[in-house]
Amino acid sequence: MLRLLVIPLALLILLAGAMAWSGSAAEKRADFTFVSIRDVYTLDTNQMSYLQDFRLAYCIWEGLYSYDGMTLKPIPGVASSCDVSADKRVFTFHLRPEAVWSNGDPVTAHDFAFAWRRMLESPGEYTYLHYYIKGAEPYLQAYQAYLKDPQHTPKPDFKTVGEQVIDDHTFKVTLSDPVTFFFDLMAFPPFFPLNQKSMEPFAKRDPVTGNVTYDGRFTRPGVVGNGPFIMTKWDFKRRVRLAKSPSYWDRANVKSNSIEMVVVEDPLGQFLRYEAGEVDWLPNVPSDVGPELIAQHREDLRLFGGFGSYFLSCMSQPKLHNGQPNPLADMRVRQALAMGFDREPIVKNVTRMGEKPASTYIPPDIFPGFKVEPGFTFDPVRAKKLLAEAGITGNRLPGVSFLVRSSSPVEANTVQSIVNQWKANLGLDIDIELIESKIARQRLNDKDYEIAIADWIGDYPDPSTFTDKYRSNSVNNDSGWVNQEYDSLLDQAQKEADAQKRYALLEKANRMLDVEVPIIPLYYITNQYLFRDNVRGINLSPRNMTMLKGVWVDHDEKLVSGGNG
């Protein structure tokens, strides 16, 4: 196993003090500063799916609805009100006239129509959430067919989609079936508006189809947003700086004049920045120092249950990316791997922050009334039998290696523990492939991998936020797992009006995931925050969502908890 770097916490605190004493900032410190363990991947709301991207998206844009900073309940955003039909299928949103873009343009229903149509014509990570809207999925399919053969395929009419601009400040949305969490979706970045005029310089039009795509540079500093902040700087792999927007309609309730996200990939560097008082919030506590902080009963350490899990994503398609037969396509091989290692020493000796070993994809206690049956646990005897049944006789799974992000020591140590256990318990030698984080993410998206550690944090308070990820047609389905019965269960649940019957369908679908294991559960997420008592507005919700609009540092508060800030 890779060795963990062990440095006494007292020495780290001395080093942090030296950093604070010797450092000199060329620019005034932001009102609120926090650490991100990795840089932004994208701020294109069509393509984003990572937490640090969403965290900034909530600052730069605002949807028809927003989230209350402390309760995370959906509340009116750009929409001042909404009329809902008796059958819960038609939502008529009334936009507040005082909502404007950072360039001074009014925010109109046309801006939502443009962004939502773009999501269907240039599909992204969360396009499938738009399928709740009447006609959205058939339109996407027809449009993609048109792009492939415009000479023989008619261009579909967008009027078939249940999105109607009544006037500049009235937007009507018609659903195929009732969606109990629809207002939550309206607060989610894939449903944010975009300012088409400001994106025109980045537009590229296909002369044959008329299809328009946009260069991602439209999201750079100067991007036109309608949220509580504007982005003033983005230094690659260093920081993103935000300033309070003077044009935001609710600016009186924006608590900080400036916010900075500091990118620090080195775990000890993250902690030193916090101890030196350079940052106010550490959303991920390094495992190198976390256990000692727990032992010291640090009052600024906040540990609480999470809204998701870590797992091993297994490529489940019949062929690997290079065309070779895929041993992992056999469910028995995946089940054997799931039973071939013990999670307990990983959470005890590697992650060490109170995580619980997982045998299921969905944590068993985050949705009241939703039943989650235990899945596969450590059983090497049964695992060996399954490998034999699958015809695996040697010490290799041909073509299979374990992809690891080079920026994560904890991930590297976790993987090393797993492959060591597979060797000891099953006689399998699995190679480790160390890859830079951004490349690793692209490899997962391209399904150019065999096994990788991944995680999923739910986006809204319903089990479908987990189950929909593994629909056959979901862009987020990195495993390439296809099960028509699973898809059918989700389709039935989508149309089921009875809440109890709907849960039963989703429970059955979730059980299929835990039995066929295209993803092998590893451990349930424990949220780990470090922030001092004078930092206000950070909620401790399992959903790990912080609305930076309502966060500030009270410099008049006397500090009584840990840290040198």
Side-chain angles (χ1 to χ4, degrees):
M1 179 181 291
L2 297 174
R3 292 179 63 88
L4 288 172
L5 178 62
V6 179
I7 300 177
L9 187 58
L11 178 56
L12 289 176
I13 292 174
L14 287 175
L15 289 172
M19 287 175 58
W21 179 81
S22 62
S24 58
E27 183 178 14
K28 182 182 176 182
R29 189 186 188 281
D31 291 348
F32 176 77
T33 304
F34 69 98
V35 164
S36 175
I37 61 176
R38 60 182 67 95
D39 197 10
V40 170
Y41 282 112
T42 178
L43 286 179
D44 185 342
T45 51
N46 259 41
Q47 303 299 327
M48 63 175 57
S49 66
Y50 280 74
L51 180 59
Q52 71 272 18
D53 302 353
F54 286 138
R55 197 169 271 156
L56 294 182
Y58 287 117
C59 295
I60 298 169
W61 291 279
E62 183 175 72
L64 292 164
Y65 270 59
S66 186
Y67 287 116
D68 180 274
M70 298 310 292
T71 67
L72 298 184
K73 298 291 185 183
I75 57 175
V78 173
S80 58
S81 63
C82 180
D83 302 325
V84 184
S85 64
D87 64 1
K88 305 294 176 65
R89 285 180 168 85
V90 181
F91 292 72
T92 303
F93 296 94
H94 303 282
L95 279 59
R96 58 182 81 245
E98 65 269 30
V100 298
W101 293 96
S102 54
N103 65 356
D105 292 344
V107 180
T108 71
H110 300 279
D111 299 319
F112 286 92
F114 164 70
W116 293 16
R117 179 170 182 169
R118 177 175 177 251
M119 185 64 87
L120 298 178
E121 295 181 351
S122 298
E125 299 268 349
Y126 283 94
T127 292
Y128 68 89
L129 292 177
H130 285 253
Y131 296 168
Y132 291 114
I133 299 171
K134 185 177 180 180
E137 186 174 12
Y139 176 83
L140 179 147
Q141 293 170 345
Y143 192 80
Q144 294 302 311
Y146 164 71
L147 292 182
K148 290 179 181 178
D149 187 10
Q151 302 299 325
H152 303 94
T153 306
K155 187 175 183 177
D157 187 352
F158 191 73
K159 292 180 180 179
T160 60
V161 180
E163 301 168 13
Q164 184 180 0
V165 175
I166 305 300
D167 56 45
D168 283 354
H169 292 95
T170 312
F171 189 46
K172 182 179 178 180
V173 182
T174 303
L175 308 181
S176 299
D177 302 285
V179 179
T180 57
F181 48 90
F182 189 63
F183 286 129
D184 283 275
L185 294 182
M186 295 300 93
F188 193 40
F191 292 89
F192 283 177
L194 290 170
N195 184 276
Q196 183 177 8
K197 183 177 72 174
S198 68
M199 293 169 59
E200 276 302 308
F202 305 94
K204 181 179 179 180
R205 287 175 171 79
D206 185 296
V208 176
T209 64
N211 184 56
V212 182
T213 56
Y214 295 88
D215 189 301
R217 288 178 295 177
F218 83 86
T219 64
R220 293 293 174 175
V223 57
V224 175
N226 69 319
F229 296 93
I230 56 175
M231 181 168 58
T232 59
K233 289 186 178 180
W234 182 355
D235 297 333
F236 180 64
K237 283 196 171 183
R238 289 186 57 222
R239 62 174 179 163
V240 176
R241 182 117 176 172
L242 307 170
K244 182 176 179 177
S245 173
S247 59
Y248 178 56
W249 70 270
D250 195 30
R251 58 191 173 277
N253 289 310
V254 179
K255 300 296 187 179
S256 296
N257 289 318
S258 57
I259 287 179
E260 187 166 306
M261 183 187 86
V262 181
V263 181
V264 185
E265 295 184 345
D266 172 57
L268 290 180
Q270 296 160 15
F271 179 70
L272 288 173
R273 292 286 187 103
Y274 176 79
E275 286 296 289
E278 294 184 14
V279 297
D280 304 300
W281 177 39
L282 197 60
N284 301 90
V285 179
S287 63
D288 292 17
V289 299
E292 191 167 347
L293 297 178
I294 293 174
Q296 290 183 354
H297 304 288
R298 282 272 294 253
E299 293 182 11
D300 55 342
L301 175 64
R302 336 276 171 152
L303 301 179
F304 53 104
F307 200 62
S309 59
Y310 274 84
F311 45 83
L312 311 186
S313 185
C314 299
M315 178 46 54
S316 303
Q317 293 180 337
K319 299 286 186 180
L320 297 175
H321 198 264
N322 61 10
Q324 294 180 5
N326 180 14
L328 300 174
D330 191 321
M331 177 176 64
R332 294 168 297 183
V333 175
R334 301 194 301 268
Q335 291 172 337
L337 293 178
M339 291 185 284
F341 71 100
D342 188 356
R343 287 109 174 123
E344 192 66 41
I346 293 173
V347 299
K348 182 178 179 181
N349 302 321
V350 181
T351 61
R352 304 186 300 164
M353 292 298 290
E355 296 90 351
K356 295 181 180 179
S359 67
T360 62
Y361 168 43
I362 300 179
D365 54 359
I366 61 173
F367 298 115
F370 187 79
K371 300 181 183 67
V372 179
E373 299 179 43
F376 294 110
T377 55
F378 185 46
D379 189 346
V381 174
R382 186 180 173 197
K384 285 181 179 179
K385 290 180 179 178
L386 285 172
L387 287 177
E389 290 174 11
I392 305 298
T393 56
N395 66 344
R396 290 278 181 180
L397 297 177
V400 173
S401 63
F402 208 136
L403 188 147
V404 182
R405 292 175 297 179
S406 59
S407 63
S408 176
V410 171
E411 180 174 311
N413 283 291
T414 298
V415 171
Q416 190 70 64
S417 174
I418 293 170
V419 298
N420 286 348
Q421 291 193 63
W422 282 340
K423 172 68 173 176
N425 300 325
L426 307 179
L428 292 176
D429 286 315
I430 306 293
D431 293 331
I432 295 175
E433 189 177 1
L434 206 61
I435 297 292
E436 193 271 333
S437 294
K438 200 160 190 174
I439 298 174
R441 187 236 184 179
Q442 191 60 50
R443 291 269 301 270
L444 257 72
N445 285 352
D446 295 341
K447 298 180 175 58
D448 179 16
Y449 77 102
E450 294 79 51
I451 306 175
I453 284 186
D455 66 285
W456 187 255
I457 300 172
D459 296 308
Y460 48 88
D462 186 82
S464 63
T465 189
F466 290 91
T467 53
D468 276 356
K469 174 174 165 58
Y470 289 98
R471 280 184 176 272
S472 301
N473 61 353
S474 169
V475 177
N476 283 317
N477 182 359
D478 297 327
S479 72
W481 179 68
V482 175
N483 188 304
Q484 299 302 326
E485 183 183 354
Y486 180 86
D487 289 348
S488 177
L489 287 169
L490 299 190
D491 290 341
Q492 293 174 56
Q494 188 170 313
K495 296 180 181 299
E496 179 56 64
D498 183 278
Q500 189 172 355
K501 291 180 180 178
R502 179 175 176 273
Y503 259 27
L505 291 165
L506 293 177
E507 288 165 359
K508 187 175 180 180
N510 180 58
R511 182 62 180 167
M512 291 181 69
L513 273 175
D514 290 337
V515 169
E516 297 200 10
V517 283
I519 56 173
I520 298 174
L522 186 53
Y523 56 84
Y524 302 119
I525 291 173
T526 294
N527 291 322
Q528 310 151 18
Y529 291 176
L530 270 174
F531 63 87
R532 304 171 184 89
D533 288 345
N534 66 337
V535 174
R536 308 299 177 85
I538 295 179
N539 68 68
L540 300 183
S541 165
R543 291 173 65 186
N544 195 17
M545 286 178 56
T546 301
M547 308 304 291
L548 295 174
K549 169 184 174 179
V551 175
W552 83 102
V553 179
D554 183 355
H555 294 288
D556 294 329
E557 170 76 14
K558 183 179 179 181
L559 297 182
V560 295
S561 58
N564 293 341

